[in-house]
Amino acid sequence: MRYGEPSKGFQIAAGCVWLLVDAVLTACLLFRYGMSGWADAYDDPVNAPAAPAEARRAAWILLGTAVVSGGFLLVRHYWVTGVLQLLLLGAGAGMFVVFAERG
């Protein structure tokens, strides 16, 4: 461990906290996507469905969060936590992109 680098235990604790934050954020966005899809089922067929736009919005939110939080953690030498942020939130953004393309 070099000077200024956080300990492994602290990195694991930070990773667990960020994992919980990621799960809550993804669950909230998935709930919003599901509710807009449910509301689209009761809307007139002439109106454009709102669920794909909601999925695109969620993908951008997750992608921006991945870049900002993952990049910050990598700059602060939280290597495992930063890479985990980039991978998990990037995968969540990819999931919402697939949802948006499916319509």
Side-chain angles (χ1 to χ4, degrees):
M1 182 171 87
R2 293 179 298 226
Y3 177 74
E5 187 172 314
S7 68
K8 297 295 179 199
F10 198 72
Q11 286 191 33
I12 291 171
C16 290
V17 169
W18 278 107
L19 184 64
L20 181 65
V21 170
D22 294 344
V24 168
L25 176 64
T26 305
C28 287
L29 293 171
L30 195 58
F31 179 75
R32 286 181 56 160
Y33 170 73
M35 288 301 291
S36 59
W38 173 77
D40 285 341
Y42 291 102
D43 199 9
D44 286 335
V46 295
N47 294 334
E54 190 66 40
R56 280 190 291 277
R57 181 180 302 120
W60 279 111
I61 289 170
L62 286 178
L63 192 60
T65 304
V67 169
V68 170
S69 64
F72 173 75
L73 289 168
L74 289 174
V75 166
R76 298 293 300 164
H77 299 286
Y78 285 82
W79 305 116
V80 175
T81 308
V83 170
L84 188 68
Q85 279 289 103
L86 290 171
L87 289 176
L88 288 178
L89 291 176
M95 176 186 70
F96 278 109
V97 166
V98 170
F99 288 165
E101 292 302 315
R102 283 186 36 209

